[in-house]
Amino acid sequence: MNDHIEHDAVILAGGAARRLGGADKPALSVGGRALLDRVLAACPGAVTTVVVGPGRPTARAVVRALEDPPGGGPLAALDAGLRHTTAAVVLALSADLPFLTPATVRTLLEAAEGAADGALLQDAAGKDQPLIAAYRAASLRRELAEVRAEHGTLAGLPLRAVTNRLVLARIKDAAATASFDCDTWEALSAARARIREHGLVLDEWITAVKAELGIELDVDTAALLDLARDAAHGVARPAAPLTTFLIGYAAGRQDRDVKVLSDQVAALAHRWAAETEQAADAPDAGATGAEAKPAE
């Protein structure tokens, strides 16, 4: 994350979720983590994070807000959240984005710096996503005030009533991942299947475990897997999980880099394996190079 871009975040976590039968959408899980927590993980650098909607548990501390009137729609919710922020740039995010990443957030923040009023993401079809965006707070407050003055309220109005007034940079989500949302049960099922695909499942699992344990330890998955393979091959199969556990324990207790510790123990595993091979190739320890003479 570009820490020099000071920003707040407003996450909209209300709505009736009619296409989900009224389920509490932000609390639904993908990869064992609530959708809301996945979005929170994508914006860890926010000075203040405001969640607008009914109170529910979250993985980290947030400021709570509720739109006026309750159920007044996304524009009213955005206004309610904005009232708790002070940074010059504000992320506006919906709470149902399972694949939003810090990298996408960083891209939006950088684009907002060079734009008049901010930047938003476009999905693969080119449709604007106003709740995957970084806005200049002053611009957003100005236009919200003008729309309220014109209509007498923000309740029931669409987000475009404000975003159409802003000059925004647009970032294309060509991979159609960050803009993927879970508005239906089918979409939720697709998201749950996606994280189990080859190439994604290990990173998703490690991220989920770290979130569950409340740790920030960087994990070099490739290095640990290599180490586990070496330990299993050169020592014994049960050595693999036990060794990786010890690496993590040592990294946490000693505040050391996992990659450095993995390399250190991998070298040990190679030495162990080499000794095992040498022992297997050595002649019988009891042999002298000639047949033993039978006792007289």
Side-chain angles (χ1 to χ4, degrees), residues 223-246:
L224 283 178
L225 288 176
D226 287 344
L227 171 61
R229 180 201 62 212
D230 293 339
H233 175 74
V235 183
R237 190 169 297 276
L242 293 172
T243 302
T244 53
F245 162 76
L246 292 172

Side-chain angles (χ1 to χ4, degrees), residues 45-74:
V47 177
T48 299
T49 301
V50 186
V51 175
V52 185
R56 55 175 69 82
T58 52
R60 62 180 174 87
V62 299
V63 175
R64 307 285 183 177
L66 194 64
E67 67 270 28
D68 185 19

Side-chain angles (χ1 to χ4, degrees), residues 47 51 59 65 79 87 96 106 117 163 191 278 280:
V47 177
V51 175
D79 178 66
D96 62 345
R106 180 173 61 248
D117 298 318
T163 57
Q278 290 167 5

Side-chain angles (χ1 to χ4, degrees), residues 21 53 69 74 83 88 98 188 212 217 224 226 246 250 257 261 276 293:
R83 294 172 184 273
L188 185 69
E212 188 71 18
L217 183 67
L224 283 178
D226 287 344
L246 292 172
D257 184 77
L261 292 172
T276 302
K293 184 177 180 180

Side-chain angles (χ1 to χ4, degrees), residues 1-7 45 89 106 109-110 113:
M1 181 64 62
N2 274 358
D3 293 333
H4 70 280
I5 305 176
E6 185 172 293
H7 63 282
V89 176
R106 180 173 61 248
L109 291 170
E110 291 172 347
E113 276 200 314

